[in-house]
């Protein structure tokens, strides 16, 4: 994941831990990681219309 998103493994780890503050992920980093997942068939849902309502992920059809 890190290599595909062009970030370090430590950065991915911090994003997964949902760190906040100065050591937390930058929005551009989160978008790079999200883009890699989306290119591989993951669909992200924020609040609003989704298969079961609410926030979540699923595989693309």
């Amino acid at each position: 994941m890190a290599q595909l998103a062009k970030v370090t493994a430590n950065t991915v780890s911090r994003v997964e831990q949902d760190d906040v503050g100065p050591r937390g992920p930058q929005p551009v980093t989160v978008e790079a990681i999200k883009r890699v997942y989306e290119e591989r068939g993951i669909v992200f849902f924020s609040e609003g219309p989704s298969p079961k309502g609410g926030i979540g992920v699923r595989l693309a059809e």
Side-chain angles (χ1 to χ4, degrees), residues 46-61:
S46 57
E47 291 186 41
S50 68
K52 297 195 181 215
I55 299 172
V57 297
R58 71 170 173 83
L59 292 174
E61 296 187 29

Side-chain angles (χ1 to χ4, degrees), residues 18-49:
D18 199 26
D19 283 349
V20 294
R23 292 194 48 104
Q26 297 295 314
V28 68
T29 302
V30 174
E31 285 300 315
I33 293 169
K34 182 179 175 188
R35 183 188 73 251
V36 171
Y37 279 117
E38 289 173 336
E39 288 171 352
R40 281 151 182 78
I42 302 295
V43 177
F44 291 86
F45 295 100
S46 57
E47 291 186 41

Side-chain angles (χ1 to χ4, degrees), residues 2-22:
Q3 185 177 8
L4 294 171
K6 297 184 174 124
V7 298
T8 67
N10 286 340
T11 298
V12 173
S13 179
R14 284 195 305 273
V15 169
E16 290 172 346
Q17 294 170 24
D18 199 26
D19 283 349
V20 294

